[in-house]
Amino acid sequence: MSPVLAGVLQLLALMGALALVHRPLGDYMAKVYSTDKHLRVEKWIYKGIGANPNTEMRWPAYLRGILAFSAVSVLFLYLLQRLQGSLPGSLGFASIDPDQAFNTAASFVTNTNWQSYYGEQAMGHVVQTAGLAVQNFVSAAVGMAVAVALVRGFARSRTGELGNFWTDLVRGTIRILVPVAAIAAVVLVACGALQNFSGIHEVGQFMGGSQQWNGGAVASTEAIKEVGTNGGGIFNANSAHPFENPSPFTNLFEIFLILVIPLSLTRTFGVMVGSVKQGYAILATMATIWVGFTALMMWTEFTHHGPALELAGGAMEGKEVRFGVGGSSIFAVATTLTSTGAVDSFHSSFTGLGGGITMLGMQLGEIAPGGVGSGLYGMLIMAIIAVFIAGLMVGRTPEYLGKKIGTREIKLAACYILITPALVLIFTAAAMALPTPQNSMTNSGAHGFSEILYAYTSGANNNGSAFAGLNADTQWFNTTIGIAMLLGRFVPMVFVLALAGSLAEQKPVPATAGTLRTEKPLFTGLLVGAILIITGLTYFPALALGPLAEGMAA
């Protein structure tokens, strides 16, 4: 079988599996966030944290809950790392330096999972499980809670109440993420992924010499890092490591885990607003961009020049032979179009245009399908922008799902789409202008610029993957990328929740003959175009200096 055909068949199998679970999982999540019943374990948690799960919150209170929870999480994770040398199960590793501890705490709490350290050489079992793995669950649940709050803003009327943050956080964790991750972990263990708490072992090599390897709760960590679109990993090689991703089957299974909740949330959205067709329109937009980017990535990586690349069947540099060009291309697009950041190959070694595709996927806002929760609310913001543009074309007040998109709503949406590009471009410009950050670059020219641009794109968009070749474990990068991650995560949430509150207070507007039908293919095309044009106008100059220049030169 040719490598190209193998890649296409993997993509088709993945699409079939995602289609199979879309409806049942989407309906289940809608029921989770809509029911009035609380599980016994949830009641214990509410009692322990002193929260009343039946109290409705307006958007300022909902936001305060998110910020308070996240601030405590950052502090706890920071202290856990700083005290690692005194903790049991540290495997002899020292405490983490202050700047790196801040960066890692900000990274995992913001669902970014950027790692400026070698996992198997820095973090012991307690930090990995009680710290990082816990944040993999709750940071994902926070994103889902914000998405559900925005959906309620569309579904409700004449009220500013958006639900209860603590209820949404606990339910998302207990009823959705934990069960799915548990099933996934069992599958990964059965397929050969590591799962233990062993110490450091001396392992002999075929060619002589030895290496030191430690164990860990690898399968369970791998499961939630993909299910929660977190990224990161116990080993520095990430999902290219055979202990984390043993075979082509597990590779495809992990891609499935990355995409399954973000895509199924579109069904949840449709059910909660009372029109599944609206959910299908959002799903079609996400799928169009995802399939298009995957096809482009395969084309760039299978298109090769010279006898060596022809014999290899594609651009194999930086890719695992177990997965090949096809599997690596599908994984790269999935992880950068979501907020996952896990990698099974090294994006810096992709072709110039291939590396640009991974970068552009993040710069779209990671909305196709995006991170768990963050992808849905990001896409709904873009839908509001698209409706506004359509309204300007025909001279009508724009409406979406029966809600008028007025001055307040469009200002909040505009602020949302501007904050992340501002962070990326300002920090990239500062790093390129100052001499100290440039000392971390192992490459010069267009590729070196791409390393810097990719790092801040990954941080501000809460992705977490790295272009490689950049030494990010410095005070400058640990601090600035940490700030970019925090601002890129929580400032947009302010605008999303304020928008949700504004929408919930409105009364429904009846549809008329002039109302834009947002469940039709025409709107899907308009939305895809708006996303690509807005992103292109924002990032094209920077992309032209980096991956486009490198790709054209090749």
Side-chain angles (χ1 to χ4, degrees), residues 193-553:
L194 200 66
Q195 182 77 6
N196 59 46
F197 289 102
S198 69
I200 297 176
H201 298 275
E202 195 83 14
V203 180
Q205 297 177 313
F206 289 114
M207 303 299 292
S210 64
Q211 285 181 294
Q212 287 186 334
W213 290 104
N214 56 274
V218 178
S220 55
T221 299
E222 190 76 9
I224 186 54
K225 93 173 189 184
E226 312 295 15
V227 169
T229 61
N230 295 282
I234 288 183
F235 298 102
N236 183 55
N238 208 279
S239 294
H241 199 291
F243 289 174
E244 293 192 13
N245 192 1
S247 68
F249 170 78
T250 58
N251 188 64
L252 200 62
F253 179 64
E254 289 183 13
I255 302 172
F256 170 82
L257 296 178
I258 291 171
L259 299 171
V260 64
I261 290 181
L263 287 173
S264 297
L265 275 172
T266 60
R267 171 78 182 188
T268 303
F269 160 69
V271 171
M272 292 183 70
V273 299
S275 174
V276 293
K277 290 183 178 179
Q278 297 288 347
Y280 285 135
I282 297 298
L283 173 64
T285 304
M286 292 178 172
T288 299
I289 297 174
W290 169 55
V291 173
F293 270 54
T294 303
L296 281 174
M297 180 65 82
M298 285 190 176
W299 175 75
T300 61
E301 298 305 299
F302 277 118
T303 301
H304 40 77
H305 306 282
L309 292 177
E310 289 178 1
L311 289 173
M316 280 298 296
E317 181 184 352
K319 300 179 178 68
E320 259 289 340
V321 293
R322 288 173 294 147
F323 312 137
V325 173
S328 298
S329 297
I330 299 171
F331 200 113
V333 171
T335 196
T336 50
L337 277 176
T338 64
S339 64
T340 309
V343 294
D344 74 345
S345 55
F346 288 89
H347 299 170
S348 182
S349 297
F350 277 42
T351 61
L353 294 178
I357 291 171
T358 63
M359 212 177 302
L360 182 60
M362 295 183 288
Q363 291 167 350
L364 290 181
E366 295 173 328
I367 53 177
V372 286
S374 61
L376 178 60
Y377 66 68
M379 182 60 81
L380 293 178
I381 294 292
M382 293 306 301
I384 289 173
I385 298 292
V387 168
F388 178 74
I389 293 172
L392 292 178
M393 290 179 178
V394 298
R396 284 182 53 89
T397 301
E399 304 164 10
Y400 186 53
L401 300 178
K403 301 295 178 73
K404 286 187 176 181
I405 308 302
T407 303
R408 174 178 170 80
E409 289 76 22
I410 201 63
K411 284 181 178 178
L412 291 170
C415 289
Y416 175 91
I417 65 174
L418 288 173
I419 183 64
T420 302
L423 291 171
V424 172
L425 298 176
I426 289 172
F427 277 122
T428 299
M432 293 303 297
L434 299 174
T436 301
Q438 293 186 47
N439 294 333
S440 297
M441 297 165 54
T442 56
N443 295 282
S444 59
H447 195 80
F449 175 77
S450 294
E451 292 175 354
I452 301 291
L453 179 62
Y454 192 105
Y456 287 111
T457 298
S458 178
N461 285 280
N462 303 129
N463 182 271
S465 65
F467 214 43
L470 177 70
N471 176 24
D473 186 16
T474 66
Q475 287 191 350
W476 166 268
F477 284 111
N478 279 330
T479 303
T480 57
I481 293 176
I483 293 171
M485 289 187 290
L486 290 170
L487 295 178
R489 175 71 165 179
F490 297 113
V491 174
M493 285 183 177
V494 175
F495 302 124
V496 171
L497 292 173
L499 177 62
S502 178
L503 294 170
E505 291 173 352
Q506 294 187 27
K507 60 180 181 181
V509 178
T512 65
T515 300
L516 176 65
R517 300 291 298 274
T518 53
E519 78 280 10
K520 297 294 184 178
L522 177 63
F523 179 72
T524 297
L526 174 65
L527 183 51
V528 171
I531 292 167
L532 296 177
I533 291 171
I534 291 172
T535 304
L537 290 174
T538 305
Y539 287 106
F540 181 78
L543 291 170
L545 293 173
L548 288 178
E550 184 180 357
M552 296 301 291

Side-chain angles (χ1 to χ4, degrees), residues 1-15 252 294 298 302 323-330:
M1 183 184 299
S2 72
V4 176
L5 179 59
V8 171
L9 290 177
Q10 288 183 66
L11 181 60
L12 292 175
L14 178 62
M15 294 170 66
L252 200 62
T294 303
M298 285 190 176
F302 277 118
F323 312 137
V325 173
S328 298
S329 297
I330 299 171

